[in-house]
Amino acid sequence: MGEKKIQGKKKLWGGRFSQGTNELVEKFSASEHYDRRLYSQDIKGSEAHARMLARCGIISQEDVKDIHKGLDKIKQEIDEGRFDWKPELEDVHMNIEKALTDLIGPAGGRLHTARSRNDQVATDLRLYVREQIIVVDRLLAGLQGAFIHQATQYTDVVMPGFTHLQKAQPILWSHHMLAYFQMFKRDRLRLRDCLGRVNICPLGSAALAGTGFKIDRYMTARELDFDDISANSLDAVSDRDFAIEFVFVLSVIMMHLSRLSEEMVLWASSEFSFVDLPDAFCTGSSIMPQKKNPDVPELVRGKTGRVYGHLLALLTLMKGLPLAYNRDLQEDKEALFDALDTTTSCVNIMKFLVANLKPRKDRLEADTRTGFLTATDLADYLVKKGIPFRQAHEIVGKAVATCISSGRELTDLSLVELKGLHPAIDDDVFQVLDVKGSVNSRNCPGGTALSAVKIQLDEADKWLEDFQLT
Ligand code: ARG
């Protein structure tokens, strides 16, 4: 046998290899250009691991000191953009470990005792998602604040409420705004729930089977502020449920933002003319001088599909994986990062849009006076006079048909005409047909009456003040 020629650069794991890695493979498998985003979590995890190893007598105190010093220096270099990232070192973990060994010598080589990149990357990603849950939560709190601002500012604005995008019943603008508050409240509760499952420490699971070194997993977990340690090493290194769950929550947030965007696009149209979108949030057309386009909500609506795509990518990534770690898992990060970046930018911009939204009070109010929005009120009125609801529904339906054929609204009918519908109708019917009267009659908890909306608003305000993720 002739001498084996080693091409390419020597790897940290290269002991059993007689050939260097093919350059194409090196490029193909490298992830450092995106997983470098995890550097501070990686360093934090390594420092905790090193302290634990020393406490357990597996490495010396001297080693830990050197490791800390080295890692601090590396962190500073990365922070300041001076770190020399090397794609041939594959990923963030190897880049940092190699730099550490170059800096401090053999102590750097001892850091990876009782650890594998498999439990390392799972730990880093959990630490990262934990931090980002807090970021997203803060952004959502800001957005909720914008809805509270809207609801507080415009309590006197009535508008048509819709079902099937057909005018249904009059409601308060504040009520509509607070509907979105509730959606984002649930999203924040979902984030909190997700955090509980994210905050579990996989370190110590090593490659897949755990380690024979007498390590203290609880100490590492404590040092890193995890709530608990993972119970099964095989599961711990191959579980990405927490990432999927996080991207699912992001997807639901995007779904809510997209519904809001859809309403903004409709409302800003000349057909609706319900709102004035701030000029700063719209763009013009390069050809049609009259245009003011709602690009921001349109883009948010469009980006929703992109985040859903990442969720589906992650679910699909996992569906065929045998236990335990598989390199496929490296594909989790770009999906997660992009879902996160997209969602945070959308929440942020929609917060400003909502905060600066101007309802067109006169337009909204005028629009409640057409389209028979108080037809249900008239039916309810008849019910209160002893007529069974089904019969009342039929009577009012006929009245609406009469109005449609004569181009009138219910309020245009005379008392004589109304009495003709049913003798029980009296002149107290007119306050029932009045839009504001209709709104204020719906005073059950959660209803649109001003009194009920004020209670809702107070509760929302208090919730926003009190809510904490942990
Ligand atoms: N870059 C890898 C990932 O993101 C780290 C773990 C690699 N482990 C391995 N055995 N090749 O999943």
Side-chain angles (χ1 to χ4, degrees):
M1 272 249 277
E3 223 185 40
K4 286 176 190 156
K5 206 166 154 224
I6 299 193
Q7 295 157 341
K9 290 152 208 114
K10 182 99 175 81
K11 296 287 190 271
L12 292 182
W13 40 252
R16 60 101 68 213
F17 285 78
S18 54
Q19 266 191 340
T21 315
N22 178 297
E23 254 178 51
L24 268 178
V25 174
E26 230 168 45
K27 262 212 179 102
F28 181 74
S29 57
S31 58
E32 61 76 30
H33 57 288
Y34 56 84
D35 66 16
R36 57 170 79 167
R37 203 193 262 230
L38 300 174
Y39 78 91
S40 68
Q41 290 76 19
D42 195 69
I43 288 172
K44 208 163 137 181
S46 289
E47 289 179 343
H49 181 66
R51 283 197 294 279
M52 181 278 292
L53 289 178
R55 175 78 66 82
C56 297
I58 298 166
I59 62 173
S60 70
Q61 287 300 339
E62 210 41 46
D63 285 345
V64 187
K65 259 197 224 133
D66 291 346
I67 288 170
H68 267 266
K69 238 198 253 154
L71 287 176
D72 283 351
K73 190 155 185 291
I74 291 167
K75 175 154 189 313
Q76 201 172 349
E77 277 181 25
I78 303 176
D79 283 345
E80 292 167 7
R82 289 186 287 113
F83 187 78
D84 185 16
W85 293 97
K86 298 196 174 87
E88 65 271 20
L89 289 173
E90 281 184 35
D91 54 26
V92 58
H93 323 292
M94 301 287 237
N95 267 273
I96 293 176
E97 190 187 322
K98 176 74 169 51
L100 182 68
T101 318
D102 288 349
L103 266 174
I104 66 168
R110 279 192 277 274
L111 171 63
H112 213 52
T113 312
R115 181 176 81 168
S116 140
R117 268 188 298 159
N118 299 350
D119 57 344
Q120 188 179 355
V121 69
T123 305
D124 293 0
L125 202 59
R126 282 175 182 272
L127 288 172
Y128 182 79
V129 171
R130 183 175 81 186
E131 280 174 26
Q132 295 305 315
I133 284 179
I134 296 165
V135 171
V136 177
D137 181 68
R138 296 309 325 143
L139 284 169
L140 288 179
L143 178 62
Q144 285 187 302
F147 285 113
I148 295 234
H149 165 78
Q150 281 292 330
T152 315
Q153 185 101 343
Y154 303 108
T155 45
D156 58 337
V157 177
V158 290
M159 63 181 285
F162 294 80
T163 64
H164 314 266
L165 199 57
Q166 305 284 320
K167 282 197 215 172
Q169 291 172 348
I171 56 169
L172 289 184
W173 170 267
S174 304
H175 195 49
H176 200 113
M177 291 297 117
L178 289 174
Y180 283 102
F181 179 94
Q182 295 299 327
M183 295 180 218
F184 295 110
K185 170 180 165 183
R186 290 195 295 278
D187 291 338
R188 294 182 69 194
L189 289 166
R190 262 185 280 273
L191 281 175
R192 177 162 79 181
D193 215 32
C194 176
L195 181 60
R197 278 179 290 275
V198 167
N199 207 24
I200 304 292
C201 187
L203 261 190
S205 302
L208 75 162
T211 176
F213 288 99
K214 297 282 164 269
I215 59 169
D216 181 352
R217 292 194 59 202
Y218 288 100
M219 175 181 167
T220 331
R222 260 196 323 273
E223 294 269 310
L224 292 170
D225 284 325
F226 279 113
D227 295 333
D228 205 349
I229 63 167
S230 54
N232 181 305
S233 59
L234 290 172
D235 177 47
V237 293
S238 64
D239 166 30
R240 292 295 180 275
D241 295 6
F242 67 96
I244 294 175
E245 223 179 306
F246 181 51
V247 177
F248 167 73
V249 180
L250 297 178
S251 300
V252 178
I253 294 169
M254 288 303 295
M255 179 267 287
H256 290 148
L257 288 178
S258 189
R259 294 185 72 182
L260 172 67
S261 298
E262 173 70 9
E263 294 207 313
M264 293 302 117
V265 172
L266 286 172
W267 291 2
S269 68
S270 55
E271 286 69 19
F272 275 82
S273 299
F274 280 5
V275 290
D276 271 327
L277 293 182
D279 272 4
F281 281 77
C282 297
T283 60
S285 156
S286 54
I287 173 168
M288 298 167 281
Q290 83 282 14
K291 297 274 276 184
K292 175 176 161 183
N293 294 328
D295 299 44
V296 168
E298 286 174 303
L299 278 169
V300 170
R301 195 175 55 187
K303 285 172 192 286
T304 303
R306 177 163 154 183
V307 175
Y308 290 3
H310 292 314
L311 174 61
L312 205 64
L314 286 177
L315 285 166
T316 313
L317 174 68
M318 298 303 295
K319 77 180 268 293
L321 294 190
L323 291 178
Y325 180 86
N326 299 269
R327 189 65 179 270
D328 315 43
L329 290 172
Q330 181 168 296
E331 289 288 309
D332 60 358
K333 285 168 216 63
E334 280 170 300
L336 188 138
F337 294 159
D338 189 67
L340 174 69
D341 294 346
T342 306
T343 308
T344 51
S345 73
C346 290
V347 176
N348 198 36
I349 201 151
M350 288 306 274
K351 176 195 133 168
F352 287 105
L353 188 126
V354 172
N356 294 296
L357 198 59
K358 293 219 165 30
R360 298 184 60 180
K361 183 168 189 271
D362 296 347
R363 221 356 250 149
L364 285 161
E365 221 166 285
D367 210 44
T368 59
R369 280 185 238 110
T370 59
F372 316 103
L373 293 193
T374 54
T376 321
D377 301 80
L378 181 56
D380 289 349
Y381 168 86
L382 291 170
V383 169
K384 284 177 195 155
K385 301 259 175 185
I387 296 146
F389 182 79
R390 271 293 144 242
Q391 199 188 332
H393 187 286
E394 177 75 15
I395 293 167
V396 179
K398 291 237 163 71
V400 168
T402 309
C403 287
I404 290 172
S405 61
S406 56
R408 291 183 295 169
E409 289 294 323
L410 287 172
T411 41
D412 298 329
L413 298 176
S414 67
L415 186 57
V416 176
E417 280 174 294
L418 286 163
K419 268 193 179 300
L421 293 170
H422 197 281
I425 296 181
D426 239 323
D427 60 359
D428 57 348
V429 74
F430 291 108
Q431 90 206 35
V432 164
L433 293 177
D434 172 65
V435 165
K436 290 220 166 121
S438 161
V439 167
N440 282 324
S441 71
R442 296 196 151 69
N443 59 0
C444 68
T448 203
L450 183 58
S451 56
V453 170
K454 278 195 167 147
I455 294 171
Q456 198 192 146
L457 182 55
D458 282 348
E459 282 173 2
D461 219 6
K462 189 168 170 354
W463 188 89
L464 188 56
E465 188 105 323
D466 293 348
F467 180 74
Q468 278 181 347
L469 261 184
T470 47

